[in-house]
Amino acid sequence: MGRDFEALVAEAGSVSVDGWDFSWLDGRATEERPPWGYQRAMGERLARAGAALDIQTGGGEVLAGVPKLPPLMAATESWPPNLAKATALLHPRGAVVVADEDEPPLPFADAAFDVVTSRHPVTVWWEEIARVLRPGGTYFSQQVGPASAFELVEFFLGEQQDAVRSARHPDRARTAAAAAGLDVLDLRTADLRMEFRDIGAVVYYLRKVIWMVPGFTVEQYRDRLLAMHRLIATEGPFTATVTRFLIEARKAG
């Protein structure tokens, strides 16, 4: 078991975690998808737009999979490795990728876009979104909900306070959107099953999704990783519940 643990951890620690492609986890971890089909619905809205912005695009993988982009398509990203991946994927599609630190202001003029999208944004600056939307324009986003995958988080960090567990609640998003002058047209939630089949998958996931266990390193959490490895070996896959919500909001006009 010790040798298996070391080999799995070493393998997962050596692979690239650039971009937002999780295909390395195929056969090793699964995550149930929300029922609304975000990328398809996003594509339908972009196909009707004249100008659109995708905020925190990651490596551009989701946007690059949309069949038809609007004549003017921009995307923002803050992490340099993701910027390089997004540029390579999106420039051939005619989209402009802009480096942005994910803090106000967005580097665009007022009323610049018909549609603003974002999948799993780390932060949402509602007033900036409202500012860059044209009157009648819409914001369409799939976001991480409250206490998402906290079985995994609390295995490493211990029990979290109620304020932490309730952060990212969709009701808060509704209130913030309204405060920024946006009318919420649609708000849906989903609780979904996540499953890790080996400890290498856990290491890879925590290296990639860096806000789950901030500052995660194998060295710091070796004891907990070994405990989880033994748990998986004796009881089967480690499971968690991920929460997602879909929100669409329109600027008056």
Side-chain angles (χ1 to χ4, degrees):
M1 182 179 292
R3 287 193 300 274
D4 289 344
F5 171 77
E6 296 296 343
L8 288 166
V9 167
E11 179 191 15
S14 66
V15 297
S16 172
V17 291
D18 295 349
W20 211 237
D21 177 6
F22 285 81
S23 60
W24 190 85
L25 292 175
D26 290 351
R28 309 179 76 153
T30 60
E31 181 181 321
E32 186 183 2
R33 297 303 180 196
W36 46 73
Y38 175 75
Q39 188 181 51
R40 174 193 53 76
M42 172 189 178
E44 291 171 355
R45 286 154 178 79
L46 293 180
R48 299 192 296 264
L53 169 64
D54 190 47
I55 298 174
Q56 299 179 30
T57 198
E61 296 89 350
V62 176
L63 184 58
V66 168
K68 180 182 178 182
L69 297 180
L72 193 159
M73 184 75 230
T76 65
E77 176 56 32
S78 61
W79 196 39
N82 278 351
L83 275 168
K85 285 201 71 174
T87 298
L89 278 175
L90 297 174
H91 272 199
R93 298 286 309 276
V96 176
V97 181
V98 179
D100 178 65
E101 293 302 319
D102 295 336
E103 292 186 0
L106 284 166
F108 304 101
D110 296 356
F113 301 104
D114 305 309
V115 176
V116 174
T117 60
S118 190
R119 181 181 181 272
H120 298 179
V122 179
T123 51
V124 183
W125 303 103
W126 289 99
E127 291 185 358
E128 279 299 288
I129 290 166
R131 181 183 66 79
V132 301
L133 276 173
R134 294 172 179 166
T138 58
Y139 174 64
F140 186 71
S141 177
Q142 178 179 296
Q143 301 188 15
V144 176
S148 185
F150 261 43
E151 297 91 342
L152 179 66
V153 170
E154 293 185 334
F155 190 94
F156 290 92
L157 299 181
E159 186 175 355
Q160 300 294 290
Q161 297 180 352
D162 289 343
V164 177
R165 297 183 64 85
S166 63
R168 296 179 171 273
H169 197 283
D171 288 345
R172 294 186 179 184
R174 183 194 297 274
T175 299
L182 301 176
D183 298 323
V184 175
L185 307 176
D186 192 8
L187 183 60
R188 307 183 218 173
T189 64
D191 293 339
L192 309 159
R193 180 182 175 89
M194 171 184 277
E195 191 173 280
F196 295 94
R197 297 172 184 164
D198 69 61
I199 200 62
V202 175
V203 170
Y204 177 87
Y205 183 81
L206 293 179
R207 289 181 60 223
K208 196 175 188 75
V209 189
I210 57 176
W211 53 88
M212 299 298 290
V213 179
F216 171 82
T217 64
V218 169
E219 293 73 22
Q220 182 178 356
Y221 290 99
R222 179 172 292 274
D223 289 347
R224 296 306 293 156
L225 288 167
L226 184 56
M228 183 176 284
H229 172 69
R230 289 169 173 159
L231 187 67
I232 293 171
T234 56
E235 297 185 10
F238 184 89
T239 62
T241 299
V242 296
T243 60
R244 300 286 183 261
F245 67 89
L246 183 79
I247 186 166
E248 185 169 24
R250 182 171 57 205
K251 184 174 180 177

